[in-house]
Amino acid sequence: MNRVFIALSMSKQSFHQRLNRNLKLMEYNAQLILLVKKVRVDHPRMSSRQMYRLLKPSYLGRDRFEILCFENGFKVTTRRAYHRTTNSLGVTRFEDLATDFVLSNINQLWASDITYYRIGNTFYYLTFILDLYSKLIVGYSVSLDLQTECTTIAALQAATKMRRRIPSNLIIHSDGGGQYYSKQWLELTRKYKMRNSMCESPYENPQAERLNGIIKNDYIVGYGPEDFNQLITMTGKAVTMYNKEKPHGSIGNISPTEFERRLKTNPTTVIHKVKKRKKVAKKEKTYECG
């Protein structure tokens, strides 16, 4: 290896520093592309330049952002391109452990996703972790950017603090975003002996996607936050209302908090099976990103 470093005219330390920067960039890019897909669902004709002005990625310039869009299939008109998960960056992908998983208790399977919330011309990022058995939001974060420590790590730390006792082999299911295979994320899931699981499309993480829509559209939009601090406060309020007051048909039309309370006093087994949402065949078009 020393000959390689000499040929590259750099030290071993410089080589590894560059390698770490490139890995971090790959993680951020993978998550950014997922957010671009979500923006395109809401704004099918929005160009890459317009999305850059909305998303404002702090680590990436406008030209590189447009190139990233084009490299991931957003320039050529294709059928339902924004639902395709791209793995062209050589990223890590974990086996899907959630599909057809039979649930019989809490803390067996958590699902997580990152979404965005727009205030004026600024996008903020919301990360939620949902216990799929009780439908309880066990952790969440509100952030200014896509950095791992502000999104998935913050949400998972909140979840482990709330649950306190985490059983081994708990499955944490997510999409293919970079924050879900970053070094920090893997260190934390390894610490709690969790098993990482990934889907290949939003259809395989429907509960997390549906939760995003409920929190944003049924709660936060109605609260009307005007800045980041208000968004933090109102997201917390939305989570509280969802957990403590919103009835869920799949758990007997009671709130997740009440369901877990009853579970402690009367641990009658209620079995859920996690299934993929069926894709609806539609002739939809996407449009060029630039």
Side-chain angles (χ1 to χ4, degrees), residues 10 53 61 134 207 256:
M10 65 172 60
R53 292 169 184 154
S134 65
Q207 295 88 353

Side-chain angles (χ1 to χ4, degrees), residues 63-76:
D63 293 343
R64 280 299 311 160
F65 177 83
E66 291 183 352
I67 292 172
L68 184 65
C69 284
F70 298 159
E71 288 177 345
N72 282 271
F74 286 89
K75 184 177 183 180
V76 179

Side-chain angles (χ1 to χ4, degrees), residues 225-243:
E226 297 180 354
D227 56 36
F228 180 62
N229 289 331
Q230 288 186 11
L231 179 61
I232 294 174
T233 300
M234 292 173 183
T235 301
K237 179 180 179 181
V239 170
T240 299
M241 294 298 102
Y242 178 93
N243 279 344

Side-chain angles (χ1 to χ4, degrees), residues 49-116:
R49 190 157 300 186
Q50 290 173 320
M51 286 195 289
Y52 176 78
R53 292 169 184 154
L54 288 175
L55 294 172
K56 297 177 181 176
S58 59
Y59 71 95
L60 200 64
R62 186 195 67 190
D63 293 343
R64 280 299 311 160
F65 177 83
E66 291 183 352
I67 292 172
L68 184 65
C69 284
F70 298 159
E71 288 177 345
N72 282 271
F74 286 89
K75 184 177 183 180
V76 179
T77 301
T78 57
R79 182 170 176 252
R80 300 181 69 86
Y82 50 81
H83 282 157
R84 185 179 67 254
T85 300
T86 302
N87 197 23
S88 59
L89 296 174
V91 300
T92 301
R93 179 167 294 285
F94 298 102
E95 180 185 356
D96 183 348
L97 304 175
T99 301
D100 293 330
F101 186 88
V102 177
L103 289 160
S104 59
N105 206 342
I106 62 171
N107 296 332
Q108 292 181 326
L109 176 58
W110 292 355
S112 182
D113 190 31
I114 300 174
T115 188
Y116 65 87

